[in-house]
Amino acid sequence: MNSPAAASISILPDRRDSIARAGEAGNAVACDRGSLAGSVTQRACAFCGSRVVLYPIADALHLVHGPIGCAAYTWDIRGAQSSGPQLFRNSFSTDLQEMDVIYGGEKKLGRALRELIRRHQPKAAFVYSTCIVGLIGDDVSAVCRELSAEFSIPVIPVASEGFKGTKKDGYQAACDAAYRLVGTGDTRDISDRSINLLGDFNIAGESWIIRGYFERLGIQVVATLTGDGRVDDIRRCHGAKLNLVQCSGSMTSLAKRLERDHGIPFQRVSFFGIEDMSAALYGVATFFEDPLLREKTSELVREEIERLMPELREIRTALEGKKAAVYVGGAFKAFSLVRALRTIGMRTAIVGTQTGDRDDYDQLRAMCEPGTLIVDDSNPLELAKFCLEQDVDLFIGGVKERPIAYKLGIGFCDHNHERKEALAGYVGMLNFAREVYASVMSPVWNYTPRRALRLRTAPRENEE
Amino acid sequence: MLNGTTAEIAERKALRINAAKTCQPIGAMYASLGIHGCMPHSHGSQGCCSYHRSHLTRHFKEPVIATTSSFTEGASVFGGLANLTQALRNIFTIYNPDIVAVHTTCLSEVIGDDIPTIVKRAREEGAIPEGKLVIHTNTPSFVGSHVTGFSNMVASIIKYLAEKTGEARNQVNVIPGFVEPADMREIKRICALLGVPAVVLPDTSAVLDGPLDGEYQMYPKGGTTIPAIKSMGDSLATFALGHFASHGPAVSLEVKHQVPAGLLELPIGVAATDAFVQALRAYSPSGVAEELETERGRLVDMMSDMQQYFHEKRVAVAGDPDHVIALVQFLLELGAKPVYAITGSRGNHFETRLHEILDPVVPDAIIKQSADFFELHQWIKNGPVDLLVANTYGKHIARVENIPFVRVGFPILDRVGHRFYPTVGYAGAIRLIDLMVNALFDKKDRECPEEWFELVM
Ligand code: SF4
Ligand code: SF4
């Protein structure tokens, strides 16, 4: 179905390589390169990546060294919840001014840190460098070293200058920073059955849900990185026996270092959707090689699934055959979403990510139904074109995509930092299904032009 | 739990906590979106652009487009010439705007890219198609705030585009300031009611408050058209609403094309709206608009009905300088007592003007430019208020201190009304009273002892 609006939108020639179809021969999706200058990219910067990863460490101080904007846009915008301190929800910035840019901002940074540490007595401090800091050449590490010595707390520079790359590079910088805490805490009372959760940020309380499952199985969760994170937990997380790494890009490098330096193996997992959540739990049970644990796990899985199945089935009946477009940050989340959508009877017609790599895209091609469009680093025009062409019923994306979907008369589910409902775990699957159902089935769409058209043209069921 | 603020106030020189401002480019981006068929372009790395777009989207709940030069490490060493040239080529090839409005970011400012030279070369190389326009403004965020960025962009639009043919046109220019699309719509309505033909620049109505029409319009219907902007040099006068956002551009037009600049404040409340209407009347064929007079009458009627609830109420106002100046005056008109007035932006006019307004009536009011929400919170802890008027970032304070809270200004990330209802003009003032009184009433209903709980208020 080609709407005239879609046909009039062309694709930037240089972007053709970044688009592929599942089930068709062709080159791999070109990805992992900088966005084309001049495109309306949905991508962000390295600073953004570092900030999202470290920000949920709730008892640390987070100071953005740079001009005001970078700090202002990251002030309390994510629903990363803390069960204790709320210090991290304030916005601290050195608010660099012209004179600082000319003469350097080191002194100002030192003074800002001193004042903050005195007032708030944090367990650690992270200092984020923004583009400008990289350019004016402030020696942030030196300032941090000085302050560390002065206050006897870790004051850690985060090399997150935005121009250094995409969000992914920022994740790396964040892992480097967080890793400086690792290995400095006491690990004595850590159990033999223990894990760390990496790459979960406790959006809408998701870490709590996952932690709950493991605790029910008698497995100790030493540290969550970084959802509802605490400095002391991270310091001793090297005492855990296994790392679970969620979200493809963000914390794999930290897991690799924990493996290299402390011999802790890791498993890549996803907590989204029934299949992936169960696979994660079984993976851990298998790792600890305990038949009893395996049995307990099956019991938990069965119980949880039973609890949500009746409602899920109903939702599935309503959504059967509907089509979705998925555009998210990381590829791992995309995999989960394709599966989760399948669970509720929906087909993924378009799937794209901001940071996927070649393997990720190959896997997506393999798992999606033939004809599914696969795109890397897309822009609003392209996304709109594809949505109209494929006539999707639902868009899953982030803040910038929501209004585009609505303008097209398409339902929307935020699977990004700003989601308001926990979508992880079994209960999350149900929340997800409910949210999708609510948006796709909303009567509101009957008043929008696209749906109105469809209502008029679709054969009526009771018209035999 | 959100209460990290301490009551004792220490001098702060190096640290900004919970800013009451943001950076220049977002203001420039917003202003550019008010030109019809315009693609805002952010010359810097892609993070800034992404943040600005997301933030505007959160506020307007609308798609916000802008392109970026996508600086990488190389560009930050060698300069952004190649990036901008390629960007322009790509933008015109694929997105086909009529005009590209380039603004800088901190990064390209520090590198020192010379935009006009780059654009000139891009044109010579054929990256910019015949008949297409590229304009630019400088928006370093280590100077000023988002309001400065807005003002700089509007001034640049005028500098680049306004022309004088020598043949005067029977029209006026209005520079509305960093206000909502609904406000720009209202300003146009006021002009129309008085029969005054007006070019409003920028005009984001029908751009950022568009209808759902089943299509994604990269360039929505609204926005000041390029011919209209060109004609501004032939207008009879310019009315600039707000010292910080609008006076600069109006003065530059006066200097360039001798269009007399009428420097007004944001028309919020009775007197400020009267002043705007009065200014317009000189260009109105009939000089009156009955409908406006009736609206004014209804506003004054509502003020008289509600004055008892505002009497001596202590109010804190935070936000953009032009808004704060106007809101403080309106609060005084209502009989309230603005005790704190802050803005995150810099500019001595803010303090001078507010002292002029407040010293005679609220001599102990605290007025401060370049302040932040942390500071405001500390003052409130030391001297509580009955009402807080601010953008969304006032929310933390309102909750911790249990203060009725009305959201006005930019950004509003957690309510919807600002997208549809103006706060300027007589109608806008009615809306503001509605919001403020209801906030006070809601708190009373929630908290008063049962014997004081009343059905009729
Ligand atoms: S670098 Fe400058 S322009 Fe970019 S977000 Fe930060 S303050 Fe704004
Ligand atoms: S200045 Fe750099 S760090 Fe800050 S938002 Fe822009 S790209 Fe990111």
Side-chain angles (χ1 to χ4, degrees):
Chain A
M1 171 176 149
N2 249 326
S3 86
S8 66
I9 302 172
S10 57
I11 301 293
L12 210 54
D14 283 5
R15 287 220 15 95
R16 286 213 179 106
D17 300 348
S18 299
I19 300 156
R21 262 173 207 279
E24 270 175 26
N27 298 327
V29 181
C31 56
D32 208 9
R33 53 183 192 187
S35 298
L36 221 48
S39 64
V40 185
T41 173
Q42 310 294 79
R43 273 183 179 164
C45 66
F47 167 70
C48 179
S50 293
R51 190 87 167 107
V52 295
V53 167
L54 293 175
Y55 161 81
I57 304 176
D59 55 354
L61 188 84
H62 301 267
L63 174 64
V64 180
H65 186 33
I68 195 65
C70 315
Y73 304 120
T74 52
W75 175 13
D76 204 13
I77 55 164
R78 303 183 84 209
Q81 298 183 354
S82 161
S83 54
Q86 303 289 340
L87 180 61
F88 70 121
R89 299 183 63 178
N90 284 292
S91 164
F92 301 123
S93 160
T94 46
D95 190 5
L96 291 181
Q97 298 295 304
E98 199 156 19
M99 285 301 138
D100 307 318
V101 172
I102 298 169
Y103 298 110
E106 287 172 25
K107 282 228 179 66
K108 198 174 193 187
L109 174 61
R111 262 190 275 148
L113 275 169
R114 234 167 242 122
E115 187 189 328
L116 280 169
I117 296 172
R118 278 205 197 105
R119 183 175 325 115
H120 298 289
Q121 311 281 334
K123 295 261 174 139
F126 291 102
V127 180
Y128 302 78
S129 290
T130 60
C131 286
I132 223 175
V133 171
L135 227 60
I136 61 179
D138 277 0
D139 190 345
V140 176
S141 298
V143 178
C144 288
R145 264 198 309 278
E146 192 188 323
L147 271 289
S148 277
E150 195 176 323
F151 289 96
S152 312
I153 60 162
V155 179
I156 301 170
V158 187
S160 53
E161 292 87 343
F163 60 76
K164 283 195 169 160
T166 60
K167 249 172 151 171
K168 235 181 179 174
D169 302 283
Y171 295 153
Q172 181 66 45
C175 287
D176 291 347
Y179 199 70
R180 294 177 58 163
L181 290 173
V182 174
T184 57
D186 184 358
T187 57
R188 267 172 303 184
D189 61 343
I190 292 177
S191 122
D192 282 342
R193 292 271 170 86
S194 55
I195 58 170
N196 296 313
L197 297 177
L198 272 53
D200 187 279
F201 305 108
N202 203 31
I203 309 288
E206 289 176 344
S207 305
W208 298 330
I209 295 171
I210 307 303
R211 188 184 260 271
Y213 295 146
F214 286 109
E215 284 171 358
R216 267 162 68 189
L217 297 174
I219 292 165
Q220 182 187 5
V221 178
V222 181
T224 45
L225 284 107
T226 54
D228 197 13
R230 296 291 182 279
V231 172
D232 286 342
D233 294 341
I234 298 171
R235 297 185 100 151
R236 67 190 210 121
C237 75
H238 60 293
K241 300 293 173 280
L242 175 68
N243 284 323
L244 294 190
V245 190
Q246 217 219 178
C247 178
S248 46
S250 71
M251 293 217 111
T252 318
S253 88
L254 193 93
K256 284 187 177 151
R257 290 174 76 168
L258 276 162
E259 184 169 48
R260 189 192 65 197
D261 300 344
H262 299 280
I264 310 172
F266 69 88
Q267 296 180 349
R268 276 179 109 187
V269 296
S270 161
F271 302 133
F272 295 114
I274 294 179
E275 289 172 64
D276 288 7
M277 183 66 235
S278 306
L281 292 173
Y282 282 125
V284 173
T286 311
F287 174 82
F288 287 113
E289 291 180 347
D290 174 357
L292 210 71
L293 177 60
R294 227 194 130 75
E295 218 163 275
K296 262 168 88 181
T297 307
S298 334
E299 210 171 288
L300 183 148
V301 170
R302 199 177 331 111
E303 249 173 52
E304 291 291 331
I305 294 182
E306 259 166 28
R307 190 172 312 157
L308 54 109
M309 243 14 222
E311 191 176 337
L312 219 50
R313 241 178 251 124
E314 264 173 53
I315 291 177
R316 190 192 161 100
T317 316
L319 294 178
E320 193 74 62
K322 301 224 183 282
K323 285 182 278 183
V326 174
Y327 189 74
V328 289
F332 232 60
K333 192 188 278 176
F335 302 154
S336 295
L337 283 169
V338 170
R339 289 193 201 102
L341 284 165
R342 211 173 273 159
T343 311
I344 49 174
M346 291 183 70
R347 188 171 88 75
T348 307
I350 303 160
V351 56
T353 80
Q354 291 174 35
T355 59
D357 61 23
R358 173 180 281 256
D359 291 348
D360 296 332
Y361 286 113
D362 286 345
Q363 188 172 340
L364 273 177
R365 284 175 97 162
M367 70 187 286
C368 289
E369 278 163 56
T372 300
L373 276 176
I374 298 170
V375 288
D376 177 58
D377 183 26
S378 194
N379 62 60
L381 255 188
E382 256 178 41
L383 291 173
K385 173 188 167 76
F386 297 148
C387 285
L388 289 172
E389 275 175 6
Q390 304 281 321
D391 193 25
V392 299
D393 303 276
L394 173 74
F395 196 109
I396 301 183
V399 54
K400 288 196 287 283
E401 288 83 44
R402 182 191 289 266
I404 298 172
Y406 288 163
K407 279 279 183 272
L408 301 173
I410 296 171
F412 186 85
C413 166
D414 194 328
H415 212 289
N416 224 317
H417 314 315
E418 282 167 58
R419 59 180 178 265
K420 307 291 175 219
E421 291 280 348
L423 301 178
Y426 299 100
V427 53
M429 178 67 213
L430 193 55
N431 290 340
F432 173 70
R434 282 178 186 158
E435 198 176 328
V436 168
Y437 178 86
S439 196
V440 170
M441 305 305 281
S442 168
V444 164
W445 307 124
N446 294 332
Y447 302 97
T448 70
R450 196 175 74 99
R451 299 301 173 102
L453 198 73
R454 188 192 292 180
L455 278 185
R456 265 183 271 126
T457 51
R460 301 227 192 93
E461 276 155 32
N462 50 7
E463 222 183 33
E464 316 233 317
Chain B
M1 276 197 301
L2 289 170
N3 196 358
T5 310
T6 45
E8 63 283 2
I9 296 166
E11 184 66 19
R12 253 188 302 134
K13 285 227 176 69
L15 182 63
R16 174 72 58 211
I17 310 178
N18 301 345
K21 64 167 177 183
T22 183
C23 66
Q24 282 211 44
I26 199 170
M29 192 181 278
Y30 180 53
S32 322
L33 289 165
I35 309 174
H36 180 72
C38 178
M39 177 65 85
H41 180 78
S42 164
H43 186 51
S45 30
Q46 55 197 25
C48 308
C49 184
S50 165
Y51 279 136
H52 302 150
R53 287 176 54 215
S54 296
H55 217 57
L56 289 170
T57 295
R58 289 187 191 105
H59 176 89
F60 293 108
K61 308 273 183 279
E62 288 284 304
V64 170
I65 49 156
T67 48
T68 157
S69 293
S70 292
F71 273 31
T72 53
E73 213 142 11
S76 39
V77 177
F78 302 115
L81 180 128
N83 291 61
L84 184 52
T85 313
Q86 203 216 340
L88 288 171
R89 198 182 290 277
N90 284 335
I91 293 166
F92 284 112
T93 312
I94 179 73
Y95 304 118
N96 192 29
D98 299 328
I99 177 169
V100 173
V102 181
H103 61 261
T104 54
T105 63
C106 296
L107 188 57
S108 50
E109 281 295 328
V110 173
I111 296 168
D113 276 345
D114 177 7
I115 311 288
T117 309
I118 300 178
V119 171
K120 192 160 158 266
R121 280 182 52 179
R123 197 175 278 284
E124 284 160 10
E125 286 171 24
I128 305 167
E130 204 57 41
K132 300 283 180 174
L133 299 166
V134 178
I135 62 173
H136 99 285
T137 201
N138 291 89
T139 48
S141 302
F142 40 85
V143 183
S145 70
H146 57 294
V147 181
T148 325
F150 179 91
S151 184
N152 285 347
M153 182 49 92
V154 179
S156 288
I157 297 168
I158 289 174
K159 257 182 247 154
Y160 268 96
L161 302 178
E163 290 169 2
K164 191 182 185 76
T165 62
E167 213 169 296
R169 278 185 184 237
N170 180 28
Q171 67 181 23
V172 301
N173 307 321
V174 180
I175 303 177
F178 198 136
V179 293
E180 302 288 337
D183 291 322
M184 300 187 187
R185 201 182 278 289
E186 178 65 8
I187 284 164
K188 287 194 290 186
R189 191 182 69 96
I190 293 173
C191 295
L193 285 174
L194 284 160
V196 181
V199 177
V200 175
L201 174 80
D203 179 7
T204 54
S205 64
V207 177
L208 289 169
D209 63 354
L212 192 161
D213 53 11
E215 285 188 22
Y216 170 59
Q217 310 269 9
M218 200 151 217
Y219 308 107
K221 269 212 198 83
T224 320
T225 64
I226 290 165
I229 299 171
K230 285 192 173 159
S231 78
M232 288 173 80
D234 291 330
S235 296
L236 302 172
T238 304
F239 296 112
L241 312 182
H243 176 93
F244 287 87
S246 305
H247 288 186
V251 169
S252 69
L253 184 60
E254 185 175 74
V255 170
K256 190 179 169 199
H257 292 313
Q258 299 78 49
V259 181
L263 307 181
L264 303 168
E265 295 186 322
L266 272 185
I268 293 177
V270 187
T273 307
D274 283 352
F276 179 47
V277 170
Q278 186 60 32
L280 287 172
R281 275 172 65 179
Y283 302 88
S284 157
S286 64
V288 282
E290 208 178 303
E291 207 172 322
L292 272 179
E293 311 237 313
T294 316
E295 267 175 41
R296 186 182 190 280
R298 291 164 67 202
L299 165 62
V300 176
D301 185 71
M302 188 171 187
M303 289 168 71
S304 67
D305 288 343
M306 294 296 135
Q307 37 76 27
Q308 49 180 320
Y309 300 105
F310 284 106
H311 180 68
E312 290 282 295
K313 284 280 182 305
R314 290 168 57 88
V315 187
V317 189
D320 294 342
D322 293 334
H323 274 95
V324 175
I325 290 171
L327 285 165
V328 162
Q329 294 180 81
F330 182 40
L331 285 162
L332 288 175
E333 290 172 353
L334 289 165
K337 204 172 154 189
V339 287
Y340 309 126
I342 68 145
T343 184
S345 302
R346 260 175 221 278
N348 293 333
H349 176 82
F350 180 79
E351 290 176 9
T352 321
R353 178 72 181 118
L354 279 173
H355 276 296
E356 212 174 275
I357 297 164
L358 282 171
D359 284 358
V361 275
V362 193
D364 51 349
I366 306 184
I367 299 157
K368 196 166 177 226
Q369 58 170 314
S370 193
D372 57 39
F373 278 100
F374 185 80
E375 217 165 358
L376 177 64
H377 195 175
Q378 290 186 310
W379 300 339
I380 290 175
K381 278 193 181 294
N382 290 291
V385 292
D386 304 299
L387 179 69
L388 171 63
V389 181
N391 62 35
T392 285
Y393 293 120
K395 184 170 187 164
H396 301 106
I397 302 177
R399 179 177 160 110
V400 170
E401 305 301 332
N402 189 18
I403 310 167
F405 174 36
V406 170
R407 291 154 180 84
V408 181
F410 176 86
I412 297 174
L413 310 170
D414 60 339
R415 289 297 186 274
V416 288
H418 63 281
R419 303 179 45 219
F420 306 100
Y421 307 109
T423 53
V424 302
Y426 303 122
I430 290 176
R431 154 109 171 125
L432 281 171
I433 295 179
D434 169 30
L435 287 171
M436 293 192 286
V437 171
N438 289 347
L440 295 169
F441 283 0
D442 282 344
K443 175 168 162 143
K444 179 169 184 279
D445 278 349
R446 236 177 9 247
E447 296 181 351
C448 69
E450 265 182 24
E451 59 276 26
W452 287 95
F453 183 75
E454 293 175 299
L455 203 56
V456 184
M457 293 166 89

